[in-house]
DNA sequence: TAGCTTTTTGCAATCGTTTGCAGTCTATCG
DNA sequence: CGATAGACTGCAAACGATTGCAAAAAGCTA
C-alpha cells in the first residue's frame, strides 16, 4: 500500500539495512549515501511504519493521558497542553476518559499498556494503587493533580493548601471576618488541602474557625446550591463565600441570583479554578488559579525525563507542587466594618499576585 | 517482558499457530484445545500484543477523532461519546486537536495514517480536501459537523437550516418581529446554513429580512459583544436576539449586562448549542440544541459500518442530518403585539436579572 | 480392516523494521 | 606493492503475531 523501506532501498540499490541506518542516522553510513537516501526517501514519500518499528524497538510513540472527564475546564486545558507538547516531540496523545471510576480506570490502564504506550500521565482515582505500581515497572508514569497514596509514583500537584490560603487571606485583607467555605469531598486530597489552607489563613488572622461556615460536598453544582443556601440561611450569614470547588460555582450563583443577592455588594464571591466565562460574567469572578497549564507542562517535563532516563529516574524528588495564584476581578469587595459605604471595586494590581513558581517538595 | 503467544503455546505443548487459532477463535481448532488454551492463556496472564498483530493484519485498533478544540462544549460531549462507544468495541480513541488550522490539520492527518489508524472521524477545516480525499483511500473517514466541499466523504451534519429555522420561528411565535441574528463566519457551512434557516422562517412569516439586524463574525466572544452593541445601537433595535454561534454568547451577555438590559423583559435571547451553565444561569437560557450527542453517535455508527464494509460502502448516502430541537427555558418572552417594542433606556426591573448594580462601565 | 473424507495440527513464510556479525572495500603505512 | 586497519555495507535473525498449505489424526463407510 504505502512506500516501505524495501522500496527505498531498492530504488537506491542498497540493502534494506543500509537504508535503515542511513535514514535513522545511526551514523554507520557514509555521509554521501545518507544524503542520497534521505533524498530518495523524500522523493518516494517514504514514511516509516511506526508499528513495524515498534515491534522491534518495543516503543509506540504513543503517550496516554487519563483524566476523569472533559467538562472540567482544568482537564481541558491540560489535555490541550499535553497534546501540543507531545506532538511537537513526535508523540501522539492517547486521551482516555476514566470518569473518576476505579473500574473504568483499571480497564483503561490495561488496554493502554497492551498498546505498549511509551508513557502515561494519569489523574488517579486513588483506588488502583497496586495496579499502577505494577504498571510503573513497565512504563514511565506520572500522576497529575491527585496523589495515589498507595504508590510512590512521581506526582505533580497543585499547591492547594497555598491556593486556599491565598484566597482566604485575600478575603480577610478585604476586611471579611465571616467567610463561608464550600469545598469538595474530604476524602480527596484537594478537598482536604483546600480546607486546611483556609483554616491556616483564619488562624493566622486570629479568626476563630466556625464549622457552620464550612460546607463540604460533592463535585457538582448541586453542592454549591445547597451549600450557599445553608450559609445564607445562617442567623449571621457570611459576608464572603469562597467556593473552593469549581463545579459548585454554578449552584452558588443560582442561589444568589434567586435571592437577589448582589455580588459583590451584598456578598463577596471567590472561586477556585478558572472557567472561560468567569471573565465575561458580570461581575467578573475573582479566582484562585490552580495553574492547570503549568501543571500539565510540568507533568510532561517529568514524564519526558523519566522516559529518557530509562528507569534510573530515582532522583529522590517524588512530588512537585505548582504554585497557585490569585486573579482579582470584580466579585470581591472591600468591607468597612465601621460604616456601610458605597461598594468599592478593588483595583487589580495583579503583578503582586503572580507568586506562581514551580518548586519541588520533599517526600 | 510480558507473556507472549510462544509462552502460551509452549506451556500447552502445541505449536504457536494452534495457539493463535485457538485464542483468536478462527474455528479451525477443536473445542477441547480451544478451551484448554484459553484457560492456560488466562492463567499465564497472556495479553496479545496489538503491535505485532497490527503489523501482520495492518490494523491498529486505533480510531482517531480530530476536533478543533476542547473548550467547545459540543466537542467535549462528542469526544466523550466517541471514546465511550469505541472503548466498548475494543478500540482506543486517539484524540487530536487541530485548532481549526489547516496546517495543523494536515500534519496531524499524516501522523495518524502513519500510525495506521483503523478509522477517522474528523471535523474538517475545509482547507485540506485533497489530502482527505487521498487518505480516504486507505482509511475509512467520516466527517463531522462540517463538510469539506472538496471531497465526497460521508458526512454527519447537524441540521443547521432546520435548527435556525426552529429557533427563529419560536421567536416569531412569541410575537417578535424584529429579530437580531448573530451568526458565524459565512465561509463555513454552519454559518451559511444557520443564516438560511433564519431567513426562511422570516419569509414564511412574511417578515422582511433586514440586513442591519444580521451580524456575522468569528467564533469568539468578542463577536458577540460587537454584534450585540451594533444591534442594540440601532434606531429600532431588535426585541430578540438569536445567537446562532455559541462562542458569541458570552459577549452578548456581557453587553446586556453592561447596559442593564433585562432578559427576557427587555430583550429575548435565544442561543445555539448548549453549555453546562446555560441551565444554571438566571434566567436559564433557551437554546436550539444541535444534538451533539446524536451527531457523535451517528458518526461512530457510520464509521463502524465503513470499517466493516471494507471499501464497498458506496451505498449512495453521503450526508446525514441530525435533527435539532428547541429547548425552552426562561430567556425568551412573549411579546404583546399591540404594544410597540420598547427601545432604548431599558429599566432593569427583572427580579431574576443580574442583580449587581455595580458595573465597571468600560468600553 | 482398508480406503476415504473431514477435522485438527504444525511448518514456515510474512508483515516492516532494527541490529549483531561478518564480509567488502578503500586508504594508509611500512 | 602488499598488508592491515578502518569505514561501509549486506546478510540474516530477530520482534510477536497471523495464515496458506500440507501433513497427521480422527471419523466414517463399506
Amino acid at each position: 500500500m504505502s512506500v516501505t523501506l524495501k522500496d527505498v532501498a531498492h530504488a537506491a540499490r542498497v540493502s534494506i539495512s543500509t537504508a535503515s541506518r542511513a535514514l535513522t542516522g545511526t551514523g554507520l553510513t557514509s555521509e554521501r549515501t545518507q544524503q542520497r537516501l534521505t533524498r530518495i526517501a523524500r522523493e518516494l514519500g517514504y514514511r516509516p511504519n511506526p508499528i513495524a518499528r515498534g515491534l522491534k524497538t518495543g516503543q509506540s510513540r504513543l503517550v496516554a493521558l487519563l483524566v476523569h472527564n472533559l467538562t472540567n475546564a482544568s482537564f481541558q486545558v491540560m489535555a490541550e497542553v499535553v497534546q501540543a507538547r507531545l506532538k511537537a516531540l513526535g508523540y501522539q496523545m492517547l486521551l482516555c476518559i476514566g470518569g473518576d471510576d476505579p473500574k473504568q480506570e483499571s480497564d483503561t490502564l490495561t488496554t493502554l499498556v497492551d498498546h505498549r504506550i511509551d508513557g502515561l500521565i494519569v489523574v488517579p482515582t486513588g483506588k488502583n494503587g497496586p495496579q499502577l505500581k505494577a504498571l510503573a515497572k513497565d512504563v514511565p508514569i506520572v500522576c497529575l493533580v491527585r496523589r495515589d497514596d498507595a504508590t510512590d509514583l512521581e506526582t505533580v500537584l497543585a499547591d492547594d493548601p497555598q491556593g486556599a490560603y491565598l484566597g482566604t487571606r485575600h478575603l480577610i485583607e478585604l476586611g471579611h471576618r465571616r467567610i463561608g467555605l464550600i469545598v469538595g469531598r474530604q476524602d480527596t486530597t484537594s478537598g482536604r488541602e483546600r480546607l486546611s489552607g483556609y483554616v491556616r489563613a483564619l488562624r493566622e488572622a486570629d479568626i476563630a474557625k466556625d464549622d457552620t461556615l464550612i460546607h463540604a460536598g460533592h463535585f457538582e453544582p448541586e453542592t454549591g446550591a445547597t451549600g450557599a443556601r445553608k450559609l445564607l440561611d445562617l442567623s449571621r450569614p457570611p459576608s464572603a463565600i469562597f467556593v473552593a470547588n469549581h463545579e459548585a460555582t454554578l449552584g452558588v450563583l443560582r442561589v444568589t441570583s434567586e435571592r437577589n443577592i448582589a455580588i459583590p455588594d451584598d456578598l463577596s464571591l471567590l472561586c477556585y479554578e478558572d472557567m472561560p466565562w468567569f471573565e465575561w460574567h458580570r461581575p467578573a469572578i475573582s479566582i484562585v488559579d490552580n495553574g492547570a497549564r503549568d501543571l500539565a507542562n510540568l507533568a510532561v517535563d517529568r514524564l519526558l525525563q523519566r522516559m529518557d532516563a530509562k528507569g534510573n529516574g530515582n532522583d529522590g524528588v517524588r512530588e512537585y507542587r505548582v504554585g497557585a495564584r490569585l486573579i482579582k476581578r470584580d466579585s470581591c469587595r472591600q468591607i468597612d466594618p465601621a460604616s456601610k459605604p458605597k461598594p468599592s471595586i478593588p483595583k487589580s494590581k495583579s503583578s503582586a499576585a503572580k507568586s506562581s513558581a514551580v518548586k519541588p517538595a520533599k517526600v
Side-chain angles (χ1 to χ4, degrees), chain A residues 170-238:
Chain A
H170 173 56
L171 292 171
I172 293 174
E173 282 169 358
L174 287 175
H176 295 275
R177 310 279 304 170
R178 289 185 67 72
I179 301 173
L181 178 73
I182 294 177
V183 68
R185 283 182 7 229
Q186 286 301 296
D187 62 341
T188 62
T189 321
S190 70
R192 280 196 304 272
E193 292 188 345
R194 292 184 190 178
L195 177 57
S196 79
Y198 164 87
V199 171
R200 179 158 75 91
L202 290 188
R203 193 172 45 232
E204 206 175 281
D206 275 329
I207 301 178
K209 173 183 160 203
D210 179 348
D211 282 336
T212 61
L213 287 177
I214 297 173
H215 180 85
H218 288 271
F219 299 101
E220 291 162 3
E222 211 44 56
T223 299
T226 55
R229 288 202 191 91
K230 191 183 104 183
L231 295 177
L232 295 171
D233 283 342
L234 290 176
S235 53
R236 290 178 53 216

Side-chain angles (χ1 to χ4, degrees), chain A residues 84-98:
Chain A
R85 289 280 311 270
L86 290 179
K87 205 174 93 178
L89 292 161
Y91 289 94
Q92 265 297 318
M93 175 183 76
L94 233 49
L95 180 63
C96 303
I97 299 162

